[in-house]
Amino acid sequence: MTDENWNQFAGTLRARLSPDTRIRRDEPLGTKTTIRVGGTARVFLEPANVQDLQLALREAWAANVEILTLGRGSNLIVPDEGVNALVVSLAGEAWAKFELRERGRVWVGAGLRLKNLCGLAAKAGLTGFEFLEGIPGSVGGALRMNAGAMGGWMFDVVEEVEVVTLEGDVKRLPRAEMHVQYRHCAELQQAIAVGALLRPIAQVDMQAVNRQIDVYRRKRQESQPREPSAGCIFKNPPGNSAGRLIDESGLKGERVGDAEVSPVHANFIVNRGHATGADVLELVRRVRARVREAKGVELEPEVLLFGKKWKDVL
Ligand code: EPU
């Protein structure tokens, strides 16, 4: 699509959406990600409600425009050239709901940060969500990736997910009908999660919960870097640790421009200040090649590459 086509697409949408929905052309995405690299979205949408989201998705579908969702940007690398797509962000207040339901269940919006979810749950006396505290993302992103930490998975606490399909239809998907694996949820490749009904893993006493949160936090602070990063870059191969394999291949501190394999945890690439998307991708290629050589293991990226397929850049 030419610039003129994108203007037209954005203009048509703008005229039909409610005034509270924000839509912008060529919105920079790097600062909306935790690793802070990459270019712009041709069209960027912050829908104020489900109806506007449905409408925008239908228009994009009809115009054959690719649709990408941006959560908290914590597991994502945006290429320097940006993305030829409609990028949908559910980061607004309207999507950060937290509503108590019966039997310790909660209804949460896709834009709610996991950290806030844990805080709100603890305040309401609910237990069973503590393991999510350390994942730097939103509910929507964590569902899409089946994010995990400290031995727990997002889908361990999911009962039902409400989605809007890329064709613009609202659906409720019970957990039992969803296909979920390590860092993957099949149904959310073709639909955007807008909310979920969660149930706690188990009931335990509050003191134990707070102690557990502290243990998790301390472990993470000791073992993971503080500089901007996209979280773990590679999936752990079955029965092995990507971090250990990269470390043992002598790659800690390896650099391309300002992108660096973290000396704290080798499965993190950190941005030392002015890294570009190209620096990060080059370092990913280098790490992969070196681990293949030294260890005979082919590492697969866990982070998403926005608007592209990893196999086309590796
Ligand atoms: N290790 C090294 N060198 C390193 C890093 C790790 O030898 O540079 C060793 C550690 O000593 C340990 C083993 O590798 O024996 C595993 O390391 P760690 O406990 O840090 O866990 P991980 O498997 O590397 C996973 C998740 C993290 C999650 C942590 C904590 C993946 C790819 N990673 O890391 O998730 O925070 O467990 O639960 O599944 C993410 O997905 O973005 C992420 C950071």
Side-chain angles (χ1 to χ4, degrees):
M1 275 186 13
T2 61
D3 260 2
E4 191 40 46
N5 293 147
W6 284 112
N7 285 341
Q8 220 165 37
F9 173 70
T12 312
L13 259 187
R14 193 176 286 121
R16 302 189 53 195
L17 296 167
S18 66
D20 291 342
T21 286
R22 281 186 285 196
I23 180 163
R24 287 191 292 277
R25 279 274 285 126
D26 286 327
E27 175 79 357
L29 296 176
T31 49
K32 299 187 197 320
T33 70
T34 53
I35 193 169
R36 306 178 82 81
V37 301
T40 65
R42 296 298 92 78
V43 181
F44 185 76
L45 181 81
E46 292 177 295
N49 52 55
V50 173
Q51 292 73 26
D52 277 2
L53 174 59
Q54 287 177 279
L55 195 150
L57 294 183
R58 286 194 182 123
E59 290 284 324
W61 189 257
N64 213 7
V65 164
E66 188 182 1
I67 299 151
L68 297 172
T69 327
L70 181 71
R72 288 285 165 188
S74 54
N75 217 265
L76 189 65
I77 294 170
V78 178
D80 293 329
E81 65 273 23
V83 290
N84 291 320
L86 169 71
V87 173
V88 176
S89 163
L90 303 184
E93 234 355 82
W95 306 95
K97 284 200 189 89
F98 177 92
E99 295 168 3
L100 296 177
R101 299 286 162 87
E102 77 293 352
R103 284 173 291 139
R105 285 163 170 74
V106 285
W107 176 263
V108 291
L112 182 67
R113 285 172 192 246
L114 294 174
K115 201 176 173 44
N116 294 349
L117 161 56
C118 289
L120 291 165
K123 223 191 237 170
L126 288 182
T127 62
F129 302 108
E130 322 25 72
F131 69 99
L132 297 171
E133 193 270 344
I135 303 175
S138 59
V139 167
L143 289 167
R144 160 131 202 221
M145 303 289 304
N146 188 20
M150 312 299 163
W153 307 106
M154 184 65 196
F155 270 88
D156 289 346
V157 294
V158 170
E159 201 160 282
E160 191 178 274
V161 181
E162 184 171 278
V163 302
V164 180
T165 66
L166 296 188
E167 295 95 322
D169 301 322
V170 176
K171 282 188 185 162
R172 285 202 170 212
L173 307 174
R175 165 69 180 90
E177 288 174 19
M178 300 183 78
H179 299 82
V180 176
Q181 296 163 33
Y182 172 63
R183 298 293 193 264
H184 188 81
C185 170
E187 284 71 19
L188 296 179
Q189 309 303 307
Q190 291 303 316
I192 297 177
V194 291
L197 185 63
L198 307 183
R199 59 170 158 65
I201 284 184
Q203 297 293 332
V204 281
D205 76 273
M206 272 314 282
Q207 270 190 343
V209 169
N210 288 329
R211 269 201 308 275
Q212 200 53 43
I213 290 181
D214 278 350
V215 170
Y216 288 164
R217 190 177 294 144
R218 220 167 308 126
K219 179 177 177 218
R220 210 177 43 256
Q221 280 169 355
E222 281 164 12
S223 66
Q224 299 187 359
R226 283 147 200 251
E227 296 93 344
S229 80
C232 285
I233 290 281
F234 297 100
K235 292 179 186 168
N236 282 338
N240 215 328
S241 157
R244 189 185 303 123
L245 289 167
I246 300 167
D247 189 353
E248 288 173 1
S249 304
L251 283 156
K252 276 188 171 170
E254 184 79 10
R255 262 176 106 138
V256 176
D258 263 358
E260 181 187 68
V261 174
S262 168
V264 177
H265 192 302
N267 198 12
F268 285 69
I269 288 179
V270 294
N271 182 349
R272 296 297 236 151
H274 299 97
T276 62
D279 293 339
V280 175
L281 294 186
E282 181 52 33
L283 192 51
V284 168
R285 279 190 285 264
R286 199 179 286 181
V287 167
R288 224 168 155 249
R290 193 83 70 82
V291 171
R292 190 190 305 126
E293 222 168 83
K295 297 282 175 183
V297 178
E298 193 81 81
L299 292 177
E300 292 307 329
E302 144 179 340
V303 290
L304 297 179
L305 182 59
F306 222 32
K308 282 190 165 178
K309 299 231 176 323
W310 275 109
K311 69 174 175 44
D312 297 331
V313 301
L314 288 179

